[in-house]
Amino acid sequence: MDVLYDGVRIMQDLPVTNVTFQEDDSAQVECTGSLTVVYQGDFADSIAPQNIGDILSPFGTVLSLSVIVSAGPGFSERVMLGQFLISDTPNIVTEAFLFNTAILTRGDSIDLSFTDYFGAVSDDKFDVPGSPPDLSSVWNEIQRLTGLPITRTITDGTIPASVAYQQEKLQAVYDLATVLDATAYMTSAGTVSMRPNTWPAPVDTISGGDGTLIAVVRGMSNASVRNKLVVRSYAGNGQSVLSSGEITDGPLRTRNSDGTVSPYRSRPQFYSSQFIVTSDQADAFVQNNLSRVSVLRSVKVVVTETFNPLRQVGDVVTVVRKVDQTVTSKFVARVSNIVRTTDATQQTTVTVGQ
């Protein structure tokens, strides 16, 4: 771990323990985590923060987390996990001792909690309601709102309406991303980027035959599965419906062919956005998103895989289960959650494509 402040690298290669690092696409701030710094200085010094501006104080200090991947004596590579802001230092313990007449430090144990840069954006609110000064570029407006560098990964587009932003800047960023049918996120390099909501081609295979797949736990839940999508107007009281769509066949149908209520019944999801102002825009949104709120979120699988610092939320992967080199199941899924610790494995939650 490296420590930066005002863009200046203060400390390098500071070892850490008890690391928990989680990425979750269902959370507003996607990347959060905690770790412990155990420090013993060569000159009995201390790095325990006591005041604003001190090293490791939660007031603008940036943690640059990386992992060293090695294979035997001939290969070693540093892989960046991300840049994060310290949000809390809940436990600071310094052990001191007396040497002659001087009080020296035997060591520090400092617990830290951290978030990605979106944590700071979420705390920043609009002073007064505002509007985009330029409607020609979604990317430029996201950069203006966040004040962060951007990495352009998808084709830019225009902002369809001169909206009045509400209080939350981060929500405005996520809303702008929907204009491009994408989700905004922070890259490991500390830049703002977007991943398309449409599934891209698989980028990797997690297989039981090559040792990357350790275990698979499959589960199903109806908590987030909806079979109807209703787009309401953002203006006024929000009750005007611009468009709606529903599942008409299969186990998720809203009703039977004779009009009676289906076994799953009607489970609608309501949506409104300042960027959806016409019926045509609402129809396109329903067409693109009805399947995403229904079958694509019905099956989640927790995969225990070999620690992989390159795995990212949003990756589409192929999961292959084998017994004695015989394939027993194979499916394509998209990563929605990753939990990493100091273990040699990581827990990767994927949503199975249907």
Side-chain angles (χ1 to χ4, degrees):
M1 181 183 76
D2 296 348
V3 183
L4 301 88
Y5 191 82
D6 278 347
V8 178
R9 200 170 299 271
I10 301 171
M11 301 189 71
Q12 288 184 274
D13 294 330
L14 188 64
V16 298
T17 61
N18 302 326
V19 179
T20 299
F21 177 85
Q22 177 163 311
E23 299 175 79
D24 187 351
D25 68 354
S26 66
Q28 190 175 42
V29 178
E30 191 167 281
C31 300
T32 60
S34 62
L35 56 84
T36 301
V37 175
V38 179
Y39 178 80
Q40 288 181 305
D42 293 336
F43 302 98
D45 56 324
S46 171
I47 61 171
Q50 299 183 43
N51 300 294
I52 294 176
D54 286 350
I55 296 175
L56 302 183
S57 65
F59 304 100
T61 304
V62 175
L63 305 179
S64 180
L65 296 182
S66 57
V67 59
I68 303 297
V69 179
S70 58
F75 176 83
S76 180
E77 184 174 350
R78 181 189 296 267
V79 180
M80 177 73 71
L81 289 178
Q83 293 192 0
F84 306 94
L85 293 170
I86 298 177
S87 58
D88 193 16
T89 52
N91 295 295
I92 304 171
V93 179
T94 298
E95 186 175 345
F97 66 97
L98 184 64
F99 181 76
N100 292 333
T101 59
I103 298 178
L104 303 179
T105 300
R106 182 171 286 112
D108 301 315
S109 176
I110 307 165
D111 292 340
L112 303 174
S113 299
F114 56 84
T115 71
D116 63 29
Y117 284 108
F118 274 176
V121 177
S122 68
D123 289 335
D124 189 11
K125 318 294 182 186
F126 290 104
D127 296 338
V128 295
S131 299
D134 182 5
L135 303 182
S136 65
S137 171
V138 171
W139 278 111
N140 289 348
E141 179 63 4
I142 286 179
Q143 196 281 326
R144 186 186 75 88
L145 291 177
T146 61
L148 297 168
I150 59 176
T151 298
R152 297 176 182 245
T153 50
I154 60 177
T155 304
D156 200 1
T158 60
I159 302 173
S162 183
V163 302
Y165 290 131
Q166 301 303 304
Q167 185 178 14
E168 305 288 340
K169 280 190 177 181
L170 184 55
Q171 187 58 54
V173 170
Y174 284 128
D175 289 345
L176 281 164
T178 63
V179 173
L180 303 182
D181 194 21
T183 300
Y185 75 102
M186 294 297 308
T187 70
S188 60
T191 64
V192 181
S193 190
M194 284 188 263
R195 52 175 172 261
N197 290 329
T198 301
W199 287 24
V203 297
D204 195 10
T205 297
I206 308 174
S207 176
D210 59 14
T212 57
L213 179 63
I214 309 300
V216 174
V217 177
R218 197 177 183 95
M220 302 185 73
S221 172
N222 68 7
S224 61
V225 179
R226 299 291 180 261
N227 56 8
K228 184 176 182 179
L229 183 58
V230 180
V231 179
R232 290 172 170 173
S233 170
Y234 198 89
N237 58 14
Q239 298 303 308
S240 176
V241 174
L242 296 178
S243 181
S244 65
E246 60 186 48
I247 304 298
T248 58
D249 55 15
L252 293 184
R253 66 188 184 278
T254 57
R255 67 195 73 211
N256 300 317
S257 57
D258 60 1
T260 59
V261 177
S262 69
Y264 193 61
R265 308 183 68 87
S266 176
R267 297 172 183 257
Q269 176 168 311
F270 298 95
Y271 184 84
S272 63
S273 170
Q274 296 181 90
F275 300 108
I276 299 178
V277 295
T278 68
S279 295
D280 288 342
Q281 292 172 337
D283 289 342
F285 183 86
V286 170
Q287 182 177 1
N288 289 336
N289 289 275
L290 181 58
S291 63
R292 297 172 186 166
V293 301
S294 55
V295 280
L296 289 183
R297 298 200 298 184
S298 62
V299 180
K300 289 188 180 293
V301 175
V302 178
V303 174
T304 302
E305 61 172 322
T306 304
F307 185 89
N308 184 352
L310 300 180
R311 183 79 65 234
Q312 299 182 66
V313 167
D315 282 350
V316 175
V317 296
T318 301
V319 181
V320 180
R321 302 179 68 182
K322 295 182 178 180
V323 175
D324 294 332
Q325 302 305 313
T326 299
V327 176
T328 59
S329 66
K330 180 178 180 180
F331 56 87
V332 176
R334 193 170 198 179
V335 177
S336 60
N337 180 283
I338 305 172
V339 178
R340 296 186 175 100
T341 64
T342 51
D343 293 338
T345 60
Q346 64 189 35
Q347 302 296 313
T348 303
T349 302
V350 297
T351 302
V352 179
Q354 298 290 307

